[in-house]
Amino acid sequence: MADTTTDGPMLAADGTPLKQSLARALRRQKIRALMLTAPLLIFVLVSFIMPIGSMLMRSIQNTAGTEYVPDILPNVVAELEEWDPTTGELPSEAAFKAMIIDFQVAFENKQHTQLGRRFNYETPGMSSLFRKSGRKVSRMDVEEITDAKAALLDVDEDWGNLQYWATIKANSGYYTSSYYMAAFDAERTIEGVQMKDPDQRIYQKLMLRTLWLSGLITFCTLAIGYPVAWLLADLPLRTSNLLMILVLLPFWTSLLVRTSAWKILLQEQGVINDIWIALGFSDRLSLINNQLGVVIAMTHILLPFMILPLYSVMKTIPPSYLRAAKSLGATNTTAFLRVYFPQTTPGIGAGALLVFILAVGYFITPELVGGADGTFISNRIYFQFSTLGNWGLAAALGTIMLAVVLLLYYVYDKLVGIDNVKLG
């Protein structure tokens, strides 16, 4: 029982002010709630936020291996600070001498090949130059060199390439925009940043293809999944549960196995083409190593992600609504379009978001089924960091796709409203 007095604050049973006692109890509840959610917060931080943050940083960090480029070439960076490549003249003698000094240190630390690989991402040929020059430059005696420019040109005449020095100057900072320029199919030349030739703009083409095919796959899953979900919601519970097992069956099979199965079915000598020929047609269908094969396989794989949200929403719609509409004179089509369909839009929104976002990031299916014409941007991202070791460009491409998806999510929220999306 709380105690009250006429000339003081209300007190709790232990004699402390009631307001202070309530604040202490509320603080304890918040601490307990935080302790309960802490494992989930730590998991999200470690598995989601930190990797995304690392990806964002890699896309702008100007590193060669584990070290920043300015830390490997400190003297060169200082000498090139005032040099202007647009003049058409090579850097000063001091810059060439600084390159020899820094190059020898980099060779001793086994960083010269990593440095060449970093510059080669932007200007092809520099990796070979740094690799071939390593041992020869390391044997030079800097104190005895009277003409550093001639000494480097004697090692390899490519040290007189103006574009190579312009690339070094452009990447003299700790952070760089080179990866994002490459991701947008732009390149840095002596005259400035320019777009590549139309036939060399592969990343723009891949991004548009990824978004287009993801949207098409979303539409196909909706066109197939909507009547299936409607049937499941309309059937008796026992029958719908049995059919739902068939819908969930793909979840119990490895994605790689399902994709390989489609590869077998769609190939020129596959089951589908054999049936096609058996029906009397003379020409076999081209269903593999193209965009059509990707759409077919991914529509099947992602179909459950469309059916489940639709079914969960349709199950909550009373059948009496359609009967009432028909009793008031509405045709089957009118009753469906004006009564039933509007109530299923939350499920459509949830399914479309799930399928589209999953499709944008798919990798295995386009790789195995798509061929050269059906690959997604995710396949190119994988190629950059696994084969070329270009983590910066891979991170830039991933960041751009993340921004595009977030932008589409924002537009969807403004047009439809994310509050209208329901998973059940």
Side-chain angles (χ1 to χ4, degrees), residues 122 206 379 387:
E122 191 166 344
L206 282 175
N379 301 105
T387 304

Side-chain angles (χ1 to χ4, degrees), residues 72-80 92-104 142 148 152 165:
I72 303 176
L73 301 175
N75 297 298
V76 176
V77 170
E79 293 296 337
L80 293 181
S92 64
E93 170 71 14
F96 279 85
K97 188 171 184 178
M99 175 59 74
I100 295 175
I101 296 173
D102 291 341
F103 198 101
Q104 289 179 343
V142 180
L152 275 181
W165 286 97

